[in-house]
Amino acid sequence: MTYGTEPSMDALTVLGNEIRMSILRELADAEESLSFTELRERVGIRDTGKFNYHLTKLCEYFVRQTESGYELGHAGTRVITAANPTASSEDGAGNDDSACPVCGERDCEKLFHVHLTPGSF
C-alpha cells in the first residue's frame, strides 16, 4: 500500500527546481516579508509569469503569503535548515558541526526527515 506517499512526493518534486530553491534561500535571508517584486528581483528572474509559476508551487507547501508579502513557512524553514546545516551553527546555536540540526544525530546524511504520528497511516 502507498498511503500518504503522494503529498510528500509532490512536495519533494516542488523542491527539484533551482529557481524554487533560490526563492527559498532569498526568503530565508530576508529579515521581513518580501513583496512579489522584491523577491523576483532578488532571485533575478525577469519574466513575471515564470516567477509567479514557481512561487505558486512553493506556496502549496513551503511559503506563505501575508498582507505584507511572502515569507518562509515552517516547512520552508526546515528545508533551508536541512539544506544548509551550518547556518544554525554560525549563530552560535550549534556547537557540534557534525550534529544534524533537525534530529541531532552525528553525521546524519538525511536531507529530509519524516515525522509520522500514530494514526497517520
Side-chain angles (χ1 to χ4, degrees), residues 28-119:
D29 289 343
E31 294 182 17
E32 56 189 26
S33 296
L34 297 174
S35 71
F36 179 90
T37 302
E38 287 175 300
L39 183 55
R40 183 181 55 79
E41 288 173 354
R42 286 186 183 200
V43 173
I45 303 295
R46 298 179 90 190
D47 183 338
T48 56
K50 179 178 182 177
F51 183 77
N52 185 54
Y53 171 79
H54 291 292
L55 181 58
T56 300
K57 292 290 186 183
L58 287 172
C59 285
E60 293 177 30
Y61 304 100
F62 306 105
V63 173
R64 66 176 164 248
Q65 184 176 7
T66 66
E67 289 183 17
S68 59
Y70 294 89
E71 57 189 36
L72 281 182
H74 178 72
T77 301
R78 298 286 301 263
V79 167
I80 291 299
T81 301
N84 187 15
T86 58
S88 63
S89 63
E90 289 173 359
D91 61 9
N95 296 332
D96 185 358
D97 289 339
S98 63
C100 175
V102 177
C103 68
E105 291 183 25
R106 295 179 60 86
D107 301 321
C108 174
E109 295 181 4
K110 295 177 185 172
L111 180 57
F112 297 97
H113 292 269
V114 177
H115 300 277
L116 301 175
T117 57

